[in-house]
């Protein structure tokens, strides 16, 4: 049975139609449908009404021992993933040592609760260049092997940039786990994570003649003009067209139930699904902190439905913890080097990134050497193409004549 649901998180997220076919905002949906048919099809008997009018289903709720998620049939990734993690569970897992869940025994697995034609598979991710990124991290769910295995269900996974997965997102996960340690001393954390598909600024050329607009249309005396607009543009991978998010979000509520009056704090984060720029390495996680309303706006959902007025009064988690400082472990630095190679735009920049790996494990790692060789070949090809496109001296002279 999932630990999410009931208690604090009951009614936390509301998206689209009601998650359960019943009352919403005090209105009985079944009676509404009944009345609709009574008005439109008076000859239809009551027994047939709900058979004829069934609201379309666009998502699937997936509940496990580690998390509850809502998987979007269109994108094949979860809209949100919710967790409730207790300090007692983390401590119990640590005491089990060899008996606790371990990720080396887990495998990424499609979630068979999702209809086949809306289900992501491992083949979609294979050779895509994207990591299978956990929303509910495996490191928080080690009570037993079943709980660990549940975090590897693809209903908990989104296509994630490899470097981001191993650096800033990992730092955020480590920070959340540290909330349950002795330093911060919280007893419970409630977490909501998921993908975002954000717009990008662009310019569009409008031609009043092609659009059939009158000559008086305010383009002044010209036939075309450029107008700013925004476009949502993201890759998809695999035969199932699994959507690659532009950004990721995580909302964290930390609670200490050991006091007479529970101490609660909240913070929300949004970060790009891409390598972190060098100048932001090791920056406090507050650079990604946003308000709850910003997550709602970008994700198109309501957070903490029915209890939002209470949550808004919670303390600022980053202020309570001295700045939400995510640690930079050796593993984080390993993937940070990977991101530098991955994001290099020129051959000198690539060479500088590779020199930074010399003397480290990454310099002999097959993942790094393969990436470096592929990136070098790509940049050399681009350089050759740019050289071929550049006008030669004779061409310039001819043009000037």
């Amino acid at each position: 049975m999932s630990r999410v649901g009931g208690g604090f998180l009951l009614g936390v997220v509301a998206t689209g139609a009601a998650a359960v076919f019943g009352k919403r905002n005090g209105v009985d949906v079944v009676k509404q449908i009944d009345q609709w048919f009574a008005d439109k099809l008076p000859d239809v008997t009551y027994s047939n009404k709900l058979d004829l009018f069934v609201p379309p289903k666009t998502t699937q709720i997936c509940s496990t021992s580690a998390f509850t998620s809502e998987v979007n049939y269109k994108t094949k990734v979860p809209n949100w993933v919710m967790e409730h993690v207790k300090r007692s569970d983390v401590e119990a897992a640590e005491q089990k040592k060899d008996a606790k869940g371990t990720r080396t025994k887990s495998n990424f697995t499609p979630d068979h609760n999702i209809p086949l034609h809306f289900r992501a598979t491992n083949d979609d991710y294979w050779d895509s260049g994207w990591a299978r990124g956990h929303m509910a991290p495996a490191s928080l769910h080690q009570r037993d092997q079943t709980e660990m295995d549940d975090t590897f269900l693809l209903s908990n996974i989104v296509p994630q940039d490899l470097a981001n997965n191993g650096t800033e997102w990992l730092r955020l996960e480590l920070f959340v786990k540290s909330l349950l340690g002795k330093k911060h001393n919280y007893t419970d954390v409630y977490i909501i994570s998921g993908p975002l598909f954000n717009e990008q600024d662009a310019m569009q050329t409008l031609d009043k003649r092609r659009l059939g607009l009158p000559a008086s249309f305010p383009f002044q005396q010209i036939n075309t003009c450029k107008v700013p607009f925004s476009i949502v543009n993201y890759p998809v991978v695999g035969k199932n067209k699994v959507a690659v998010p532009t950004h990721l979000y995580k909302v964290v509520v930390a609670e200490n139930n050991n006091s007479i009056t529970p101490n609660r704090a909240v913070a929300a984060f949004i970060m790009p699904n891409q390598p972190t720029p060098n100048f932001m390495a090791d920056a406090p996680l507050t650079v990604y902190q946003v308000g709850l309303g910003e997550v709602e706006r970008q994700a198109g959902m309501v957070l903490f439905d029915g209890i939002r007025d209470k949550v808004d009064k919670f303390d600022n988690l980053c202020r309570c913890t001295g700045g939400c400082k995510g640690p930079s472990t050796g593993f984080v630095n390993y993937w940070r080097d990977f991101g530098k190679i991955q994001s290099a735009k020129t051959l000198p920049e690539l060479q500088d990134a590779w020199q930074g790996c010399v003397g480290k494990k990454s310099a002999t790692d097959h993942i790094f050497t393969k990436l470096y060789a592929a990136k070098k070949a790509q940049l050399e090809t681009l350089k050759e193409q740019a050289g071929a496109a550049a006008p030669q001296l004779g061409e310039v002279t001819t043009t000037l004549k």
Side-chain angles (χ1 to χ4, degrees):
M1 180 177 180
S2 172
R3 289 176 295 155
V4 178
F8 181 78
L9 277 184
L10 185 62
V12 160
V13 178
T15 57
V20 179
F21 192 65
K23 287 189 176 181
R24 178 160 176 80
N25 296 330
V27 178
D28 192 317
V29 180
V30 175
K31 287 184 178 179
Q32 277 191 333
I33 294 173
D34 183 33
Q35 186 61 48
W36 188 90
F37 272 98
D39 295 340
K40 308 293 185 190
L41 302 171
D43 296 330
V44 177
T45 62
Y46 179 82
S47 62
N48 290 330
K49 288 177 183 177
L50 290 181
D51 292 336
L52 287 171
F53 188 81
V54 178
K57 186 177 180 181
T58 59
T59 61
Q60 178 72 45
I61 298 294
C62 300
S63 188
T64 75
S65 63
F67 66 88
T68 293
S69 68
E70 181 190 63
V71 176
N72 188 303
Y73 287 168
K74 172 65 176 176
T75 63
K76 318 299 190 302
V77 296
N79 290 328
W80 48 260
V81 177
M82 296 196 303
E83 313 161 72
H84 173 202
V85 185
K86 299 179 179 181
R87 188 205 304 170
S88 57
D89 292 337
V90 175
E91 291 176 344
E94 293 299 329
Q95 292 172 2
K96 287 182 178 180
K97 296 183 179 179
D98 295 340
K100 69 180 181 180
T102 173
R103 63 186 303 141
T104 58
K105 296 179 181 178
S106 299
N107 296 300
F108 288 101
T109 307
D111 194 324
H112 294 280
N113 291 307
I114 302 168
L116 180 62
H117 50 302
F118 298 132
R119 187 189 308 162
T121 68
N122 285 316
D123 286 343
D124 294 319
Y125 286 87
W126 186 253
D127 261 351
S128 69
W130 298 91
R132 287 167 289 194
H134 285 74
M135 294 295 93
S139 61
L140 283 179
H141 301 280
Q142 304 181 70
R143 289 185 303 169
D144 53 49
Q145 193 58 46
T146 298
E147 185 181 29
M148 172 67 71
D149 289 346
D150 282 345
T151 67
F152 284 79
L153 288 169
L154 296 186
S155 52
N156 179 45
I157 302 297
V158 305
Q160 189 172 7
D161 176 82
L162 287 158
N164 175 264
N165 187 28
T167 56
E168 301 312 288
W169 191 252
L170 176 59
R171 290 179 65 215
L172 181 53
E173 291 175 340
L174 292 173
F175 165 72
V176 172
K177 187 173 184 178
S178 75
L179 296 173
L180 298 169
K182 294 180 180 179
K183 180 179 180 180
H184 300 302
N185 206 36
Y186 288 102
T187 58
D188 299 76
V189 290
Y190 303 86
I191 312 157
I192 308 169
S193 310
L196 296 172
F197 300 89
N198 286 344
E199 67 277 2
Q200 300 173 10
D201 292 333
M203 296 294 292
Q204 182 179 21
T205 299
L206 294 182
D207 187 323
K208 68 180 182 183
R209 294 166 300 185
R210 179 176 61 84
L211 296 174
L213 298 173
S216 59
F217 194 80
F219 285 2
Q220 296 180 354
Q221 301 301 315
I222 59 175
N223 288 321
T224 61
C225 75
K226 289 186 178 293
V227 295
F229 73 111
S230 297
I231 185 170
V232 177
N233 184 25
Y234 55 86
V236 294
V237 296
K239 69 177 183 179
N240 291 308
K241 310 300 182 187
V242 180
V244 180
T246 61
H247 295 72
L248 304 171
Y249 71 86
K250 191 178 288 287
V251 177
V252 184
V253 174
E255 181 178 58
N256 188 341
N257 276 319
N258 287 338
S259 57
I260 297 176
T261 302
N263 177 29
R264 292 167 175 157
V266 62
F269 307 88
I270 292 177
M271 62 177 60
N273 187 19
Q274 61 188 37
T276 307
N278 294 340
F279 68 87
M280 289 182 64
D282 296 323
L285 294 170
T286 49
V287 300
Y288 303 107
Q289 189 178 12
V290 299
L292 293 176
E294 186 61 20
V295 174
E296 290 180 320
R297 185 190 70 78
Q298 294 190 27
M301 67 181 181
V302 176
L303 290 167
F304 309 109
D305 192 27
I307 57 172
R308 180 58 177 276
D309 58 333
K310 296 180 176 64
V311 176
D312 285 340
K313 296 176 182 177
F314 291 176
D315 293 331
N316 183 328
L317 182 59
C318 289
R319 187 179 300 123
C320 295
T321 57
C324 288
K325 297 175 182 177
S328 285
T329 64
F331 188 78
V332 168
N333 292 328
Y334 172 91
W335 283 107
R336 184 159 287 134
D337 287 340
F338 184 94
K340 291 177 183 178
I341 295 173
Q342 182 186 23
S343 58
K345 299 293 190 296
T346 64
L347 286 168
E349 188 178 341
L350 175 64
Q351 194 59 33
D352 286 344
W354 182 250
Q355 285 299 317
C357 299
V358 173
K360 300 179 182 179
K361 175 186 174 183
S362 53
T364 56
D365 190 297
H366 76 280
I367 296 177
F368 270 73
T369 54
K370 182 179 179 181
L371 174 67
Y372 173 72
K375 191 70 177 182
K376 184 178 180 182
Q378 178 193 37
L379 293 176
E380 286 176 341
T381 299
L382 290 174
K383 184 177 180 181
E384 291 175 1
Q385 292 174 346
Q392 301 299 315
L393 182 59
E395 296 174 330
V396 172
T397 304
T398 303
T399 304
L400 292 175
K401 287 180 180 179

